[in-house]
Amino acid sequence: MLLASAVVVWEWLNEHGRWRPYSPAVSHHIEAVVRAGPRAGGSVVLGQVDSRLAPYIIDLQSMNQFRQDTGTLRPVRRNYYDPTSAPGKGVVWEWENDNGSWTPYDMEVGITIQHAYEKQHPWIDLTSIGFSYVIDFSTMGQINRQTQRQRRIRRRLDLIYPMVTGTLPKAQSWPASPGSAAAPPAPPCSCPQCVLVMSVKAAVANGSAGPQQLPGARKNAPPSGAVKVPPPSGPGAKPLDSTGTIRGPAKTVPSQAIRRQASSTPAGATAASSLSPPGANGKTGRVALATLNRTSLQRLAIAQSRVLIASGVPTVPVKNLSGSSPVNPALAGITGILMSAAGLPVCLTRPPKLVLHPPPVSKSEIKSIPGLSNTSRKTTKKQAKKGKTPEEVLKKYLQKVRHPPDEDCTICMERLTAPSGYKGPQPTVKPDLVGKLSRCGHVYHIYCLVAMYNNGNKDGSLQCPTCKTIYGVKTGTQPPGKMEYHLIPHSLPGHPDCKTIRIIYSIPPGIQGPEHPNPGKSFSARGFPRHCYLPDSEKGRKVLKLLLVAWDRRLIFAIGTSSTTGESDTVIWNEVHHKTEFGSNLTGHGYPDANYLDNVLAELAAQGISEDSAAQEKD
């Protein structure tokens, strides 16, 4: 039986296609729930270990992070790293934000920096892993190669990430416990994939194919079904051949059963389910793998990653499993060989590529949008009319109730027949007065409604806390900026018959105003200008016109805490989703997405913006 040890790091996918690590404490918490098995309920409440993550829950069945207050879903994965790397030593590398707080590097970057630090290199260039930065250890600084801007970095010690030692966990309805090997063996699965893999295991046990023969078996595979793969990377790596081609068996089997099993299998669990023949011991497995050179191991790892990507199985990135033992990088690849030998379809292909922007467009190709007189507009700051007290504003939306119903006020949770339970700053109205909102009919203490209004934007509008019906014109707290919009001569995936509307949002950093969370404090503006895309269809133009209304009402952005980086006092999206990927949909923010336009219309309607709003606003 193959034995291995690895560090487990739980990660989530941000909107830029980068996997961001959870902290060691959070990863330990997730692992504890995973080890508890089905009795834990299959979900992880992150707020139990980190109060900053209170809105977030991880659903282990679908491997998604769910934000309760916004409904945002993000993929998560259980990733494995060399136990001698940074996460296995509790080392965290961080860079300093503009506001003085510290943000951890992606795990891949942190491991690279730590490796150079341990080798006592004076500096390291991160260009080789896709980042235009140089890390200078003598000054503990990060230097942008393009702008020469410098930031401080630091190295700190934290908890060591959880370790998996022994046999790798077998597939369950969600990631299995690292100690699951000690549990009694479960009845064999009867799905076509497992039946075929078990037949291969039996053949290996009978001597028809030993582990040492596996690389040769791949070499002698039938010539049909050849596909291209990129050459492996890493020290000592060589091209697979002059064409970069690996050949696999052309025989296929129904893939629905494979996907059905794979969809609930964590990264790495598929590989664990078919690693060794019955009766094999750890010594035999290690000796067999020791006969493979580094290039062969990298080929196996690349092949397996392509198989998993093609079949919808979460992949185990093996580029950081580069320790001295040849076991680690071979674990993923060996399953691909077994699948191939079993006649399962092995689709070796390039992984999907993130396409954020369209091909270059000249100025002469950029056109204005028919029906709109301008191509840009700046933020206008609308304030409530002076002289209007909260009581005067609410008076036009309320009807007094002489005989309140015997039910709770859903703001203070006291009975409507009793005085308001609100304990904050005292409004000027009596605490026992009750009012009914004119359109939706929900009933509250007027005292509570006034307090709620005072704690909001105070823009002359009111939103029912029960049904979200908006009274008046709702405005937001978006900081000053510019919105540009025009046509470009390229089509979005799923919309081949029309051009594309490109929207460019530009917001500079600045100082927070009285309507913001921390008045007088500076705020950052990351990722601007932000490019977004709509199809130039009838519905796409409708969405654009409503987005212009939302922009004028300062509802597109807000100042708060980023769910991506955890940075506070920064510009964030404000519950109106945009598509920021032009030619792909790897992060869920791209095309094709058949329901996006309808969904964003519903989100705009929830902000009080409809076609009637567009008719009232000037272009």
Side-chain angles (χ1 to χ4, degrees):
M1 184 176 292
L2 293 175
L3 301 177
S5 61
V7 175
V8 176
V9 178
W10 282 84
E11 299 171 321
W12 55 277
L13 187 67
N14 70 12
E15 64 265 33
H16 304 298
R18 302 290 306 177
W19 286 99
R20 300 287 297 146
Y22 291 104
S23 69
V26 172
S27 288
H28 275 281
H29 178 59
I30 300 172
E31 279 293 297
V33 176
V34 167
R35 295 181 187 190
R39 68 178 181 272
S43 63
V44 186
V45 181
L46 301 185
Q48 292 178 349
V49 68
D50 188 338
S51 60
R52 295 172 299 177
L53 303 180
Y56 299 99
I57 292 177
I58 289 180
D59 176 41
L60 295 172
Q61 200 79 333
S62 63
M63 293 294 280
N64 278 308
Q65 171 191 277
F66 174 68
R67 180 166 177 166
Q68 301 175 78
D69 54 349
T70 65
T72 302
L73 284 174
R74 295 187 185 276
V76 300
R77 70 180 182 183
R78 186 180 189 233
N79 208 357
Y80 302 88
Y81 294 91
D82 191 322
T84 64
S85 63
K89 299 178 178 179
V91 175
V92 179
W93 285 90
E94 299 174 320
W95 56 276
E96 188 179 28
N97 287 314
D98 289 342
N99 62 2
S101 61
W102 294 89
T103 300
Y105 285 97
D106 294 357
M107 192 57 66
E108 172 190 4
V109 180
I111 289 174
T112 303
I113 296 174
Q114 175 64 17
H115 181 72
Y117 179 83
E118 291 175 348
K119 295 291 185 182
Q120 297 185 346
H121 294 167
W123 54 271
I124 181 173
D125 190 339
L126 301 180
T127 305
S128 61
I129 57 173
F131 295 90
S132 184
Y133 296 104
V134 171
I135 302 299
D136 185 344
F137 294 117
S138 62
T139 62
M140 290 298 282
Q142 169 192 281
I143 305 169
N144 188 313
R145 289 172 56 89
Q146 297 178 343
T147 66
Q148 297 303 308
R149 180 179 182 181
Q150 298 188 24
R151 292 181 183 274
R152 289 196 302 163
I153 65 169
R154 71 178 183 183
R155 177 183 182 268
R156 66 176 180 85
L157 294 180
D158 203 328
L159 293 173
I160 296 174
Y161 278 89
M163 186 82 71
V164 176
T165 304
T167 56
L168 290 185
K170 294 184 178 181
Q172 294 182 352
S173 59
W174 58 78
S177 165
S180 61
C189 178
S190 59
C191 75
Q193 181 186 13
C194 291
V195 170
L196 287 169
V197 170
M198 290 305 294
S199 69
V200 173
K201 288 184 177 182
V204 172
N206 292 331
S208 61
Q212 292 88 343
Q213 299 172 345
L214 289 175
R218 278 213 57 89
K219 183 176 180 180
N220 299 326
S224 58
V227 256
K228 299 282 186 178
V229 296
S233 58
K238 297 179 181 179
L240 303 181
D241 55 34
S242 60
T243 62
T245 300
I246 288 182
R247 299 184 178 274
K251 179 179 178 182
T252 60
V253 297
S255 60
Q256 291 182 354
I258 299 174
R259 288 193 174 93
R260 185 164 54 250
Q261 180 179 354
S263 64
S264 60
T265 304
T270 304
S273 67
S274 55
L275 284 176
S276 58
N281 57 34
K283 183 177 180 181
T284 303
R286 289 184 184 275
V287 171
L289 287 169
T291 64
L292 304 180
N293 59 31
R294 177 67 59 182
T295 302
S296 298
L297 294 173
Q298 289 170 335
R299 290 179 183 176
L300 300 184
I302 291 172
Q304 171 63 1
S305 68
R306 272 47 176 191
V307 173
L308 296 178
I309 289 171
S311 60
V313 180
T315 63
V316 184
V318 296
K319 55 190 171 186
N320 290 322
L321 299 180
S322 55
S324 58
S325 168
V327 175
N328 289 336
L331 292 177
I334 203 108
T335 300
I337 294 175
L338 289 175
M339 291 176 65
S340 175
L344 294 172
V346 180
C347 178
L348 304 179
T349 184
R350 294 181 183 274
K353 183 179 180 182
L354 186 70
V355 182
L356 290 177
H357 302 295
V361 178
S362 65
K363 289 185 178 180
S364 61
E365 293 178 305
I366 296 176
K367 305 296 181 183
S368 60
I369 300 170
L372 296 177
S373 56
N374 299 313
T375 58
S376 67
R377 61 179 65 184
K378 295 184 178 180
T379 303
T380 56
K381 186 174 181 180
K382 296 183 178 180
Q383 300 283 2
K385 292 182 179 179
K386 293 183 179 180
K388 291 283 186 179
T389 65
E391 293 80 2
E392 291 173 329
V393 171
L394 299 184
K395 184 177 180 180
K396 57 185 177 182
Y397 306 137
L398 288 172
Q399 301 171 355
K400 286 187 178 181
V401 177
R402 292 178 179 271
H403 304 288
D406 188 20
E407 59 188 44
D408 288 342
C409 169
T410 57
I411 299 176
C412 70
M413 301 310 297
E414 295 290 345
R415 306 299 286 182
L416 289 168
T417 52
S420 167
Y422 177 71
K423 302 300 182 183
Q426 303 298 311
T428 58
V429 298
K430 295 181 180 179
D432 57 350
L433 291 179
V434 174
K436 181 175 72 173
L437 292 172
S438 57
R439 286 166 51 199
C440 64
H442 288 109
V443 182
Y444 306 95
H445 290 116
I446 298 178
Y447 193 85
C448 293
L449 287 173
V450 171
M452 186 181 74
Y453 180 86
N454 281 330
N455 288 329
N457 198 24
K458 291 184 280 192
D459 59 357
S461 71
L462 180 71
Q463 189 165 17
C464 174
T466 300
C467 66
K468 309 304 179 186
T469 297
I470 295 173
Y471 295 81
V473 176
K474 180 181 178 181
T475 61
T477 60
Q478 175 179 292
K482 185 178 181 181
M483 176 182 180
E484 301 173 77
Y485 41 93
H486 48 247
L487 289 179
I488 57 175
H490 300 290
S491 298
L492 292 165
H495 299 274
D497 299 328
C498 60
K499 296 179 181 179
T500 297
I501 299 171
R502 178 167 63 184
I503 304 171
I504 303 176
Y505 293 111
S506 300
I507 294 180
I511 304 298
Q512 298 181 52
E515 73 273 29
H516 294 135
N518 296 298
K521 186 177 180 181
S522 62
F523 67 87
S524 61
R526 310 292 183 193
F528 289 94
R530 298 188 185 182
H531 291 227
C532 309
Y533 304 95
L534 292 169
D536 184 33
S537 60
E538 181 180 356
K539 187 175 287 187
R541 293 186 186 184
K542 175 181 175 181
V543 169
L544 173 63
K545 291 179 180 179
L546 297 186
L547 288 176
L548 289 171
V549 176
W551 174 263
D552 287 341
R553 295 183 183 179
R554 307 173 69 203
L555 293 169
I556 300 293
F557 296 97
I559 294 177
T561 300
S562 170
S563 61
T564 304
T565 65
E567 181 183 2
S568 59
D569 298 305
T570 190
V571 179
I572 59 175
W573 292 106
N574 187 36
E575 308 307 329
V576 179
H577 286 83
H578 285 65
K579 293 295 188 181
T580 53
E581 285 182 67
F582 175 82
S584 58
N585 195 17
L586 299 187
T587 65
H589 301 297
Y591 295 91
D593 185 343
N595 299 319
Y596 168 66
L597 295 178
D598 290 327
N599 290 341
V600 75
L601 286 172
E603 290 172 345
L604 288 164
Q607 301 284 354
I609 299 173
S610 62
E611 288 187 83
D612 293 338
S613 305
Q616 295 171 4
E617 300 280 341
K618 293 182 179 180
D619 289 342

